[in-house]
Amino acid sequence: MTDWAIWLVLAGGLLGAELFTGTFYLLMIALGLVAGAVAAWCGLALEWQLLVAAVVGVAAVLGLRSSPYGRLRQSNSNDDPSLLLDIGQSIEVTAWQAHGTQYLARVPYRGAQWDVELLPGHHALPGSYVIREIRGSRLLVAPR
């Protein structure tokens, strides 16, 4: 088997492993292995093939890391609508009660009474509000 075919078989193995992990990092390393295959096909020595594969693989991983697809999400799961389906739903608040700097209310939502807190920077008026975050059994809301 030729050198470039070995590189491509290794890249294919990483692509198969990528299907099970769900990240893009193995795909970036596979790109480095494909670059090693191209270097082998061009007739470069093994040392140069390894160098090309390493440089392209590291550059691809660093490029992925600086992109939005490779960056870890640093937000709180309390406001993630893909985890909490209540985020973005509407509720009706009939009256607010002031507790220091907070405005709180009790409202019926999904068949139960919930504590509701108005997010800072909004006026406490009766009406329709949207759930922006959930902390324990408290809904944090903002006006529509």
Side-chain angles (χ1 to χ4, degrees):
M1 187 181 270
T2 60
D3 288 347
W4 63 267
I6 293 172
W7 284 104
L8 290 179
V9 166
L10 291 173
L14 278 182
L15 287 175
E18 173 65 35
L19 294 174
F20 293 106
T21 63
T23 65
F24 290 115
Y25 289 101
L26 290 180
L27 181 64
M28 299 300 111
I29 300 298
L31 284 175
L33 294 178
V34 169
V38 170
W41 183 73
C42 290
L44 296 177
L46 179 61
E47 298 84 21
W48 287 103
Q49 295 172 26
L50 291 170
L51 182 66
V52 167
V55 167
V56 171
V58 167
V61 167
L62 291 176
L64 175 66
R65 185 75 176 140
S66 64
S67 76
Y69 300 108
R71 210 170 286 134
L72 294 175
R73 187 165 189 245
Q74 297 295 329
S75 72
N76 194 350
S77 64
N78 293 341
D79 61 356
D80 189 355
S82 64
L83 296 176
L84 298 170
L85 299 179
D86 294 320
I87 305 295
Q89 299 297 318
S90 296
I91 60 170
E92 289 292 325
V93 177
T94 56
W96 290 100
Q97 298 173 356
H99 291 277
T101 60
Q102 293 180 334
Y103 289 96
L104 303 176
R106 288 274 292 166
V107 298
Y109 177 66
R110 292 193 307 145
Q113 291 291 321
W114 286 72
D115 292 327
V116 176
E117 179 180 337
L118 183 63
L119 288 171
H122 300 289
H123 298 290
L125 301 171
S128 181
Y129 288 83
V130 176
I131 300 170
R132 298 288 184 211
E133 187 177 342
I134 299 176
R135 288 189 199 146
S137 63
R138 184 171 285 188
L139 306 173
L140 280 73
V141 299
R144 276 198 157 262

